[in-house]
Amino acid sequence: METRPAPEISYDAALAAFEWLIELGATDPVGDAPVNRYDLVTPEPAPAPPPQAETRAPRPAPVLAPVETVDPVAVARGLAARAATLDDLREAILGFDHCPLKRGARNTVFCDGNPKARVMLIGEAPGKDEDAQGKPFVGRAGQLLDRMLAAVGLDRAAPDPGTAVYITNVMPWRPPGNREPEPAEIAMMGPFLARHVELVDPDLIVLMGNTACAAALNSRGITRLRGSWTQAFGRPALPTLHPANLLRTPINKRLVWADLLELRAKLNAL
Ligand code: URA
């Protein structure tokens, strides 16, 4: 392909172009060259043109093909059910093309931590750092989470299942501008999350924030739900505030501290 020299552009024109991109919803610079994601989709081959008729015959009435309706939740359910291992599940999610968030994401963020851990943490969705690195909770919220877990003797890198945690998110793809995932997006990824929990088979689950509660409990209202044990995916689950909430409202750290002590006590008692 011919490479064209970068056009000369004035400071004012560059600033105007930059402001226009922000107005369109761009939030982060992710590369030096633009990527047209529509070009990454393999186009359907164009239908062959009809053979030229010798003489003009009346055209037959077009036969309309039935519109194919896909139920993304049913597709996800089928794929998730066939996953016999965590690697299968990761592959199934990589092959699932019905969630619009996948198009805008740089990476599919599946998990981090020890799959043998007794505790499984469920967050919302990758942010900018997670999208770039392909791992959950590696940005500021994740670093805070690691410090809080360490205070109760838990560590995502621990080889011992008793002190380890396993971490995933409701959504494996970053929503644009870090918006909350929509109910339809949460619903279509639900079967993957349920299978994820089944395959990891933790003793306890921690639901971090409203999106995790919406996915696991079909309920929102984290300030009301937090701190009380409930059941999710057939096992004990503790809703708590999302670490990003604590970055915005540090006084809430005392609430999550109480929740983590509750988690520690339950782990010790089991
Ligand atoms: N917030 C989340 O819910 N998950 C991440 O992985 C990072 C931030």
Side-chain angles (χ1 to χ4, degrees):
M1 206 178 86
E2 184 199 351
T3 46
R4 275 177 278 161
E8 287 291 323
I9 182 165
S10 71
Y11 172 83
D12 288 333
L15 185 63
F18 186 56
E19 284 169 354
W20 180 69
L21 285 172
I22 291 171
E23 219 167 278
L24 289 181
T27 52
D28 311 305
V30 292
D32 292 335
V35 177
N36 184 347
R37 293 189 181 272
Y38 289 102
D39 288 347
L40 303 179
V41 176
T42 319
E44 293 284 322
Q52 288 295 313
E54 290 286 303
T55 55
R56 278 187 174 261
R59 283 196 187 184
V63 180
L64 297 178
V67 178
E68 197 194 354
T69 52
V70 174
D71 174 359
V73 180
V75 175
R77 218 177 274 133
L79 288 170
R82 286 196 290 280
T85 65
L86 287 172
D87 282 344
D88 290 350
L89 187 66
R90 185 198 295 266
E91 287 304 313
I93 292 174
L94 285 169
F96 181 72
D97 286 328
H98 299 286
C99 181
L101 299 183
K102 188 178 181 186
R103 279 264 183 100
R106 299 176 80 194
N107 273 302
T108 297
V109 176
F110 184 63
C111 74
D112 196 20
N114 183 341
K116 297 203 163 54
R118 293 175 65 202
V119 179
M120 180 166 180
L121 306 179
I122 302 177
E124 179 175 303
K128 181 180 168 212
D129 296 311
E130 290 77 18
D131 183 42
Q133 295 184 39
K135 264 192 193 180
F137 285 100
V138 291
R140 277 181 67 222
Q143 289 156 20
L144 174 60
L145 176 66
D146 284 342
R147 289 198 297 276
M148 297 192 83
L149 290 172
V152 289
L154 296 174
D155 176 358
R156 67 169 100 182
D160 166 21
T163 50
V165 294
Y166 182 84
I167 308 180
T168 192
N169 282 311
V170 173
M171 304 302 305
W173 299 293
R174 181 191 183 194
N178 294 342
R179 69 158 168 76
E180 269 191 28
E182 290 173 2
E185 293 161 350
I186 296 174
M188 73 176 75
M189 299 313 290
F192 294 115
L193 182 64
R195 187 73 185 126
H196 208 155
V197 173
E198 240 169 35
L199 290 169
V200 174
D201 193 21
D203 292 340
L204 303 174
I205 297 176
V206 178
L207 301 168
M208 299 186 291
N210 263 322
T211 299
C213 290
L217 308 174
N218 198 20
S219 180
R220 286 176 176 268
I222 191 64
T223 43
R224 171 180 50 86
L225 294 168
R226 64 143 285 277
S228 299
W229 287 99
T230 181
Q231 286 279 309
F233 307 111
R235 57 201 84 212
L238 183 64
T240 191
L241 300 176
H242 190 284
N245 172 300
L246 308 184
L247 292 175
R248 290 190 302 270
T249 317
I251 195 157
N252 285 347
K253 283 182 189 168
R254 67 202 160 94
L255 302 175
V256 175
W257 177 237
D259 298 345
L260 288 174
L261 290 177
E262 179 57 43
L263 171 69
R264 181 75 261 171
K266 184 95 163 177
L267 263 179
N268 293 347
L270 281 181

